[in-house]
Amino acid sequence: MDRNREFAGKVAFISGAGSGIGLATAELLASLGARVAIGDISTDAADRAAAKIAAMGGTALPLTVDVGDHAALARAVSRIEADFGGLDLAVNNAAIPGPRVPLEDYPIEAWKAVIDIDLTAVFYALRTELPAMKRRGGGSIVNIASIAGGLGIPLTGPYAAAKHGVVGLTRVAALENATANIRINAVGPGYVETPFVMERGEDIVRAYREKHPVKRMATTAEIAEQVAFLLSDRASFVTGAYHIIDGGYSAQ
Ligand SMILES: NC(=O)c1ccc[n+]([C@@H]2O[C@H](COP(=O)([O-])OP(=O)(O)OC[C@H]3O[C@@H](n4cnc5c(N)ncnc54)[C@H](O)[C@@H]3O)[C@@H](O)[C@H]2O)c1
């Protein structure tokens, strides 16, 4: 097989693909031949990402979508099926970090917002993507969790709870679809150099680098490689897995 065209003929939906890990994943999949739908709550970010991919010679469809809105996700998937003929691959990536506050002081509204976008929206996405993939005869989904999907990290209450939930949902979805030719996996990145963390200030960023045994954070390209592997037929026996990519963080 020509690995350079590994995803030729495939259609992928990546949420939160206007920035960071989602953008790097969309670029990689497009460079390997997939037609990619760029879903983001920011119309500007989705349009910029799609234009960047088009400039590389790829095919990208920008879609303004709030993953917390089930009807908007359903409309996005219908549009992908209408424009591209079906859906084969999905990366449920969009998330928000939420404020860093101890549990006893955690604002209730902030808790609800993080659970809505980081957990419930992954359920909404699966609920929409799985039937579309069944119409296509199969597919592959990667949910972006975090090391916080398997570890406690102080001050990240709803985020860690949501990411543990994403790992659980991934396992249930994988089991329910094991004979439907649809594989569902999760990845658990350590800290990655994206706006998600870089906006927290130099001292926090330096501390994050130090926490990894390799003394740096991941690049978005390193995470995208693992996502692409799990989406690909090279991972044909991998389903229900939670793949950590963390420079040794959780080995400590
Ligand atoms: N950066 C890290 O250190 C890190 C570590 C582990 C896991 N993750 C996970 O990786 C994923 C991507 O994070 P990132 O660092 O690339 O973030 P990022 O902030 O660079 O990008 C997130 C994108 O999601 C979009 N988005 C936010 N809310 C949305 C919504 N409701 N609907 C649609 N789009 C929305 C934003 O507009 C943005 O373009 C998240 O699931 C995050 O939890 C990140």
Side-chain angles (χ1 to χ4, degrees):
M1 183 185 57
D2 176 5
R3 284 259 156 92
N4 295 323
R5 300 293 298 166
E6 184 162 38
F7 294 107
K10 301 285 187 192
V11 175
F13 171 57
I14 303 115
S15 70
S19 171
I21 294 168
L23 175 57
T25 303
E27 288 176 322
L28 179 60
L29 296 179
S31 76
L32 295 172
R35 285 173 292 164
V36 294
I38 308 282
D40 207 286
I41 198 167
S42 159
T43 303
D44 278 358
D47 286 347
R48 269 197 311 273
K52 196 172 173 206
I53 288 169
M56 288 163 25
T59 304
L61 172 68
L63 295 171
T64 306
V65 57
D66 175 355
V67 294
D69 176 348
H70 179 255
L73 265 175
R75 282 194 301 275
V77 169
S78 296
R79 171 81 193 277
I80 294 165
E81 289 185 296
D83 280 33
F84 288 156
L87 178 70
D88 304 288
L89 312 170
V91 184
N92 298 319
N93 164 77
I96 52 173
R100 294 164 43 78
V101 181
L103 282 176
E104 65 214 61
D105 299 324
Y106 216 94
I108 303 290
E109 287 311 313
W111 170 279
K112 286 183 180 164
V114 174
I115 296 293
D116 278 355
I117 301 303
D118 296 5
L119 176 59
T120 307
V122 178
F123 157 63
Y124 290 161
L126 291 168
R127 202 171 178 278
T128 311
E129 292 156 0
L130 287 165
M133 289 181 184
K134 284 180 184 162
R135 289 191 281 277
R136 190 80 156 168
S140 181
I141 300 174
V142 173
N143 296 324
I144 308 296
S146 163
I147 44 170
L151 296 173
I153 299 180
L155 312 182
T156 72
Y159 183 78
K163 293 300 188 180
H164 275 71
V166 168
V167 173
L169 262 183
T170 300
R171 291 178 173 140
V172 172
L175 295 175
E176 289 182 359
N177 293 282
T179 57
N181 195 30
I182 304 174
R183 296 180 299 100
I184 301 105
N185 292 291
V187 296
Y191 289 91
V192 189
E193 301 217 358
T194 73
F196 208 81
V197 293
M198 301 310 274
E199 283 162 3
R200 290 178 203 172
E202 226 170 84
D203 287 350
I204 291 185
V205 166
R206 197 174 312 114
Y208 286 163
R209 289 196 181 109
E210 276 305 304
K211 279 186 185 171
H212 295 77
V214 295
K215 301 299 177 202
R216 67 174 179 86
M217 290 194 268
T219 65
T220 55
E222 286 171 317
I223 309 304
E225 280 296 339
Q226 185 80 355
V227 174
F229 166 71
L230 288 169
L231 290 175
S232 78
D233 292 342
R234 287 179 287 143
S236 50
F237 203 58
V238 186
T239 195
Y242 167 48
H243 275 205
I244 294 287
I245 325 167
D246 69 355
Y249 191 110
S250 58
Q252 300 174 100

